[in-house]
Structures are given as structure tokens and as C-alpha cells.
């Protein structure tokens, strides 16, 4: 009997490990079944270039310079998340720019987070099935499609992964506090913060875990955690709060750098509060009925119906009242509801970022609180039920997971390419300016169809005529259609709406020059060079304008500056040579033409003008030496030079 009693706990532990392993395997299979289509998707035009495909620092992989960039310069991307940047670098080092590898990393991170959530909850509660259902809902919920299917949203997945590691480590620390275990929690928390700043709320959620399921708060009945005075519990979390001010400053700097922070004038506090209330209500609704999902939900600036924020406020009020009433007897409610409400605070829009009202990806961590309410509420309701009823309940729960997985699978397919993604956005939000804008960019820059691009840009401006980037790209589309005069109005609007956008100034200046509005073009180039004083294109364009105005002194000065900035540009050196020639500086012109030929002997003008200069000096043989390469590059110029050589030989007859 003694031997049997000793073996029973071991047998139970082995059985428990087996069931836990089986549950983890099922989670992995569920995740891959739902999200495996992403392995056949490519990169998207929506932020993927900024973070990967057009980011040369990321593409260089891991090296000393890339590490420096990741930790000290990533604010230029509009975020401070060096760990995320490093993960993209590792992918580029392993997979290059083969998108399936980048998608695979996202998929593996999501599956790993689901398993870690299972292990963390089971470790703190020893309740396998509720823990499994929470992790299963997390794994397949359609609101979680966005961070998995979108390579640029790696930061959400990494933050979630390290968040789950921190929670798992905290469960171990709470059972037997030690400096080593606290160090593991702190390390995971810092990695989560450096993946995405949204992790700032993690210390507060650890305090909620102390309440339930760890039961460490004063007066609690014994639980898996070691009880402690409330002051001790708070002091435990204090070191975790220390990095938050610095990280907040870095994040605000990053967002302001790319113009993503909405000003108080553009997004008044009242509108931001109304949108936050509406977002809370909408996230709850979509958690239950995940339909009409899209990558972008535009901010209803000045047009939100009153019932929307009121509905959200009512949902918050009812949820909070219910949590307060149930908290004493059902501690999982006191943990789950504040988890949902609190973890959304950094992204709910009170400090407005970008033009979106909300985003599916923001629910990645917060929905864990709702899933806990559902799973443990169902477990409590079935606590005294008969075995048959419990089997039926498990079947229903399985059916819900399958239904959510099927919905998530269908939603995943909307991310397969840019056109499918933006078309889906417009079906859900027909007034999404950004979707029209991105479709226009797709047809203009990738498919070479300026006419179709123009249609999308015009639809965007019908919704928001004050969108400067749309005016700019509509102007580019019009130029490609040969409608430079029409494009001028668009470039003027772009420069007016976004005076600090260099591309708007440069395109305006170029269009003005082509329209032969030279004084205005000179002013526009000057405004562009005030923003980018060391850009050779700006100085070269300004030199051309001065040349057209007959001001060869200023033309040669501008072109000389352009040539200094781009010493290997044969075309610029050639233009400088012509300007110097017209100014009367033949020696300078000869040097400039010589530099043009040494940089790239594919420009016909240097051969032509060097030939003319040789004729002026009476060097007919020198002029003739220019004919052979000139005839190859520009036969018309060669004939002109040959005729002038002939006239020189005959004395001008």
C-alpha cells in the first residue's frame, strides 16, 4: 500500500504532463490550420517597406552598425522597438527577402504565445481545461489575424510572446520569491517593452494576478502564491515602472518624427474621449461577433453619432459594475475585466496616434482578460453538472473554437496582397482615405496605370480634400498622363497642406519649370533646398531654371554645387559645362565636360561642345576626334558638328 501511495502522485503528474503536452500540440495544430495561408503571401505595401523591404539597415542583418541603428536610430521609423528591429534583421539574415520566412516567424511566435499562455494559466491554477480554452480562443480569434498576417506588426507578436514569458516567470516567482526568479520576470518585461511600448501595463496585470489566481493579497484564502502585505506587492512592481518615463519619451519622439501624433487642434480631447469609449464598446462587440474586420478603421473626425460613444460608455459601466459586484466571490472576474480595460489604455486613443480610430491588433493582449472571464465562468457554471452535460459543453466550446477558426481563416485570406487588403477595407469602411490612397499608389507606382490611380486619388480627396500626400501623388499621376498644367494645382495644394514635405516642393518646382513659369520655379526650388540643402537634384533643377532665365552666373553656381554634391553624375557635370561655356568660362567648361566624360562617356553633349570649342581654337583635328563617339550617341548632333567642321574648313562658305 505504501508503495502504491508513493506512485500515485507520480502517476498523476505523468498523466497531467501528458494531457498538457497534448493540449499544447492541439494549440499548435489549430494555429497552423488557421494561419498557414500566410506562408504563401508576399510582402505588403502597408508598412512592410518601412520595416523590411526598403530598410537597408534591417536587410544588412546582424552587425555592429545594425545593432547601433536598432537601439539608437529606430525612432525614425515612428516607433522605438529595437528588439523588433533585431528580429527583422535575423529574418533577413536567414531568409533574405523571401517573404515566407518572415511570415513563418510570425506564425511561430503566435503559436508559442498561445502555448505559453496555457502553461502560465495552468501553472497558476492547475485547471487544465479552462486554461486550454483561454489559450485556444487566443490562438484562433479573428481579431488576432492582423498581427499574424502582417509582417510589419511583428512588434505586437514579440510583445505578446515576452509578455507571456513574463507571466509564466511571475507565477514561478510568486510561489517561491527569489532574486533569480524576479530577474527572469524583469528581463522578459524589458524585452516586451523593447518590442512594443504597449507592455507598460504589464506590472499592473501582475498585480491583478496576485489577486487571482495567485491569491497573494492580504486576507486571501491560501492559494498557489506566497501571500504578502499589499505594500510589499506594490513595492515588488515599482522597479518595473522605472523604464516607463524614458520609453514614453522615446515613443512620443518617434511618433512625432513621422507626424503620427494627432495635435489637440486636429483631434480635440472631446473627440478622442468619444472615440475611446466607442472603441471599448466595439472591441467587446467584435470579441463576441468578429465580423466586418479590416486593417483600417478611420477616425470619424467631427462626424461620430452620439449613440456610439454612449454605447461604449454603457458597456464599460455595465462591465465595471458587474466586476465590482462579482469580485468578492468570483476573483477571476476581478482579474479579467480590469485586465481587458487596463491593457487597452495605451492604445485606446486618448493620446491620438495616426488616423485610425482603432485596430484589431490592439486587442492581442487585452482579450486574454475576456477569455478568462468566459472560460472560468463556464467552468464554474458546469462545476456541479453531470458528466453528460459537461461533455455537451465541451462539444459546444469546441464548436465555438472551430467557428472562430474558420472565420479567422477567411479573414487571413484578405491579407494575401495589397489589392485584396485595401478592397476589404473599403467594403468595411467606404470612407477610408488611406485605403483609396494606397490603392492609388499600387496602380501608379507598381502597375504603371496613372489613369486608374487618378480615380482612387480623386475618391480619397472627395472624402478628405485636406490630405496633402494624396494631392502630391495625384499630381504625379497627372504628370505621367502629360497633364502638367493640371498637376500644378495638385502640387500647389500639397505644398500648402504639407509645407515641410520635401517631395511636394520638388515636384512643384519641376512642374513649374516644365510649364516655363521660371521665376515661380526658382522660388519653389529655393523652398525645397531650404528643407534639403544638400540635395543635388534641387541644385541641378535650380541651375536649369536660372539657365532658362538667362542668368548664367547663378546657373553655373547652382550647377557647380550640384556637381560637388554628386561628383559621379555625368549629366550634372555636362550641364555645368554648358552653363560655364555660356558664362564665358571656357577653361571651367572644358574641365566640367572632361569630368562628365570620365564619369560616364554616354553623354553626347560633352563631345559636341568640346568639339565646338576645339573648332573655335582652330583645332579641326581635335573637333573631328569627337565625331566618332558623338555619331554613336546622337547622330543628329554629330551631323551638326560635322557641318560646322566643314564650314570651318571652307572658311565659313
Amino acid at each position: 500500500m505504501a508503495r502504491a501511495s508513493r506512485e500515485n502522485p507520480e502517476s498523476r503528474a505523468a498523466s497531467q504532463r501528458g494531457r498538457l503536452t497534448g493540449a499544447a500540440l492541439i494549440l499548435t495544430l489549430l494555429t497552423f490550420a488557421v494561419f498557414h495561408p500566410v506562408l504563401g503571401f508576399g510582402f505588403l505595401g502597408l508598412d512592410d517597406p518601412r520595416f523590411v523591404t526598403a530598410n537597408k539597415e534591417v536587410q544588412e542583418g546582424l552587425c555592429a552598425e545594425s545593432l547601433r541603428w536598432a537601439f539608437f536610430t529606430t525612432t525614425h521609423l515612428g516607433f522605438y522597438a529595437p528588439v523588433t528591429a533585431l528580429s527583422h534583421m535575423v529574418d533577413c539574415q536567414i531568409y533574405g527577402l523571401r517573404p515566407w520566412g518572415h511570415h513563418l516567424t510570425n506564425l511561430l511566435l503566435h503559436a508559442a504565445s498561445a502555448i505559453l499562455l496555457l502553461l502560465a494559466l495552468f501553472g497558476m491554477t492547475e485547471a487544465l481545461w479552462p486554461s486550454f480554452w483561454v489559450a485556444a480562443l487566443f490562438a484562433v480569434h479573428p481579431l488576432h489575424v492582423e498581427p499574424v498576417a502582417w509582417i510589419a506588426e511583428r512588434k505586437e507578436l514579440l510583445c505578446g510572446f515576452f509578455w507571456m514569458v513574463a507571466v509564466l516567470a511571475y507565477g514561478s516567482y510568486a510561489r517561491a520569491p527569489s532574486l533569480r526568479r524576479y530577474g527572469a520576470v524583469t528581463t522578459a518585461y524589458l524585452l516586451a517593452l523593447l518590442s512594443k511600448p504597449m507592455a507598460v501595463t504589464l506590472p499592473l496585470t501582475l498585480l491583478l494576478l496576485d489577486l487571482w489566481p495567485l491569491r497573494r493579497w492580504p486576507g486571501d484564502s491560501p492559494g498557489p502564491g506566497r501571500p504578502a502585505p499589499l505594500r510589499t506587492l506594490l513595492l515588488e512592481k515599482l522597479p518595473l515602472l522605472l523604464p516607463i518615463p524614458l520609453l514614453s519619451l522615446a515613443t512620443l519622439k518617434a511618433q512625432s518624427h513621422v507626424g503620427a501624433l494627432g495635435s489637440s487642434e486636429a483631434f480635440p480631447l472631446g473627440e478622442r474621449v468619444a472615440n475611446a469609449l466607442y472603441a471599448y464598446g466595439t472591441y467587446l462587440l467584435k470579441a463576441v461577433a468578429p465580423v466586418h474586420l479590416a486593417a483600417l478603421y478611420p477616425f470619424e473626425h467631427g462626424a461620430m453619432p452620439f449613440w456610439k460613444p454612449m454605447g461604449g460608455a454603457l458597456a464599460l459601466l455595465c462591465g465595471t459594475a458587474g466586476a465590482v459586484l462579482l469580485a468578492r466571490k468570483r476573483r477571476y472576474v476581478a482579474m479579467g475585466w480590469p485586465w481587458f480595460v487596463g491593457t487597452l489604455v495605451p492604445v485606446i486613443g486618448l493620446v491620438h496616434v495616426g488616423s485610425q480610430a482603432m485596430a484589431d491588433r490592439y486587442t492581442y493582449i487585452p482579450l486574454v482578460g475576456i477569455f478568462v472571464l468566459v472560460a472560468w465562468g463556464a467552468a464554474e457554471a458546469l462545476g456541479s453538472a453531470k458528466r453528460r452535460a459537461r461533455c455537451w459543453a465541451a462539444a459546444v466550446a469546441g464548436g465555438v473554437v472551430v467557428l472562430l477558426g474558420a472565420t479567422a481563416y477567411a479573414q487571413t485570406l484578405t491579407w494575401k496582397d495589397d489589392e485584396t487588403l485595401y478592397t476589404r477595407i473599403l467594403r468595411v469602411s467606404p470612407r477610408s482615405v488611406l485605403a483609396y490612397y494606397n490603392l492609388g499608389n499600387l496602380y501608379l507606382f507598381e502597375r504603371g496605370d496613372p489613369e486608374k490611380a487618378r480615380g482612387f486619388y480623386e475618391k480619397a480627396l472627395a472624402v478628405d480634400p485636406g490630405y496633402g500626400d494624396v494631392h502630391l501623388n495625384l499630381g504625379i499621376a497627372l504628370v505621367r498622363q502629360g497633364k502638367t498644367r493640371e498637376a500644378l494645382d495638385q502640387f500647389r495644394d500639397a505644398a500648402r497642406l504639407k509645407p515641410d514635405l520635401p517631395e511636394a516642393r520638388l515636384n512643384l518646382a519641376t512642374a513649374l519649370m516644365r510649364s516655363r513659369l521660371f521665376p515661380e520655379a526658382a522660388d519653389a526650388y529655393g523652398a525645397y533646398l531650404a528643407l534639403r540643402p544638400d540635395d543635388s537634384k534641387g541644385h541641378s533643377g535650380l541651375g536649369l531654371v536660372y539657365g532658362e532665365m538667362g542668368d548664367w552666373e547663378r546657373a553655373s553656381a547652382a550647377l557647380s554645387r550640384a556637381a560637388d554634391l554628386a561628383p559621379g553624375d555625368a549629366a550634372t557635370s555636362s550641364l555645368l559645362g554648358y552653363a560655364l561655356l555660356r558664362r564665358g568660362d571656357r577653361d571651367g567648361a572644358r574641365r566640367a565636360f572632361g569630368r562628365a566624360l570620365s564619369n560616364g562617356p554616354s553623354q553626347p553633349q560633352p563631345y559636341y561642345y568640346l568639339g565646338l570649342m576645339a573648332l573655335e581654337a582652330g583645332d579641326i583635328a581635335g573637333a573631328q576626334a569627337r565625331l566618332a563617339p558623338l555619331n554613336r550617341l546622337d547622330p543628329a548632333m554629330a551631323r551638326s558638328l560635322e557641318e560646322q567642321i566643314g564650314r570651318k574648313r571652307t572658311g565659313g562658305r
Side-chain angles (χ1 to χ4, degrees), residues 178-249:
S178 71
L179 190 60
R180 180 178 60 82
R181 288 188 171 96
Y182 190 83
V185 175
T186 304
T187 301
Y189 169 61
L190 288 174
L191 289 170
L193 272 179
L194 296 176
S195 298
K196 185 176 183 180
M198 184 180 175
V200 293
T201 55
L202 178 57
L204 299 179
T205 61
L206 298 182
L207 196 61
L208 293 173
L209 292 172
D210 286 333
L211 179 65
W212 183 92
L214 294 170
R215 294 185 174 274
R216 301 182 67 208
W217 282 46
D220 269 342
S221 57
R226 180 174 293 181
L230 184 58
R231 180 184 177 188
T232 300
L233 297 179
L234 292 172
L235 288 174
E236 279 180 349
K237 314 304 182 291
L238 189 60
L240 301 178
L241 302 178
L242 296 179
I244 292 177
L246 286 176
L247 190 68
S248 299
L249 288 174

Side-chain angles (χ1 to χ4, degrees), residues 329-581:
K329 291 186 177 180
R330 296 170 176 84
R331 288 295 182 91
Y332 62 85
V333 177
M335 186 280 276
W337 181 254
W339 178 301
F340 169 73
V341 174
T343 53
L344 272 172
V345 168
V347 290
I348 204 63
L350 294 175
V351 176
H352 199 77
V353 176
S355 59
Q356 74 276 10
M358 62 193 78
D360 295 349
R361 62 187 179 274
Y362 294 161
T363 68
Y364 194 68
I365 296 297
L367 279 185
V368 170
I370 300 300
F371 298 154
V372 165
L373 294 180
V374 171
W376 261 267
E380 183 183 9
L382 293 165
S384 59
K386 294 181 180 179
R387 179 181 176 84
R388 188 171 184 177
R390 283 208 280 249
C391 288
W392 276 108
V396 170
V400 169
V401 169
V402 169
L403 179 60
L404 288 173
T407 305
Y409 179 88
Q411 179 64 17
T412 298
L413 297 179
T414 67
W415 286 82
K416 69 177 181 178
D417 56 45
D418 287 299
E419 186 167 20
T420 305
L421 179 64
Y422 302 136
T423 303
R424 168 68 178 181
I425 292 169
L426 290 172
R427 279 202 299 269
V428 175
S429 304
R431 293 179 60 80
S432 176
V433 176
L434 196 56
Y436 285 123
Y437 172 66
N438 283 323
L439 276 170
N441 293 345
L442 176 67
Y443 278 93
L444 179 62
F445 299 114
E446 293 185 29
R447 300 188 179 176
D449 188 344
E451 179 61 31
K452 196 156 187 176
R454 178 181 176 182
F456 286 117
Y457 292 139
E458 288 173 346
K459 288 178 181 177
L461 292 176
V463 177
D464 182 4
Y467 203 126
D469 291 291
V470 179
H471 284 287
L472 171 61
N473 288 2
L474 175 55
I476 294 171
L478 289 166
V479 166
R480 293 189 181 184
Q481 290 183 294
K483 300 175 181 178
T484 305
R485 286 283 182 173
E486 291 180 47
L488 267 177
D489 292 335
Q490 301 301 325
F491 292 141
R492 286 190 175 110
D493 285 339
R496 174 178 55 83
L497 292 165
K498 300 196 75 170
D500 294 332
L501 182 64
E503 290 77 9
R505 298 289 185 181
L506 180 60
N507 279 279
L508 173 60
T510 304
L512 288 166
M513 181 174 66
R514 290 176 179 174
S515 301
R516 304 193 68 76
L517 300 172
F518 298 125
E520 195 177 347
D523 291 340
Y525 274 118
Y528 171 70
L529 289 170
L531 297 172
R532 288 188 176 169
D534 294 329
D535 184 75
S536 63
K537 290 181 293 186
H539 289 285
S540 180
L542 184 61
L544 286 172
V545 168
Y546 284 140
E548 293 287 352
M549 295 169 67
D551 188 343
W552 296 107
E553 185 72 29
R554 286 199 286 183
S556 57
L559 288 166
S560 178
R561 176 64 177 148
D564 289 341
L565 291 168
D569 189 339
T572 299
S573 296
S574 180
L575 289 170
L576 173 61
Y578 181 74
L580 291 169
L581 185 62

Side-chain angles (χ1 to χ4, degrees), residues 106-125:
N106 276 21
L107 186 47
L108 291 172
L109 281 170
H110 181 57
S113 295
I115 293 170
L116 287 168
L117 178 58
L118 166 69
L119 296 176
L121 288 174
F122 177 74
M124 290 185 283
T125 65

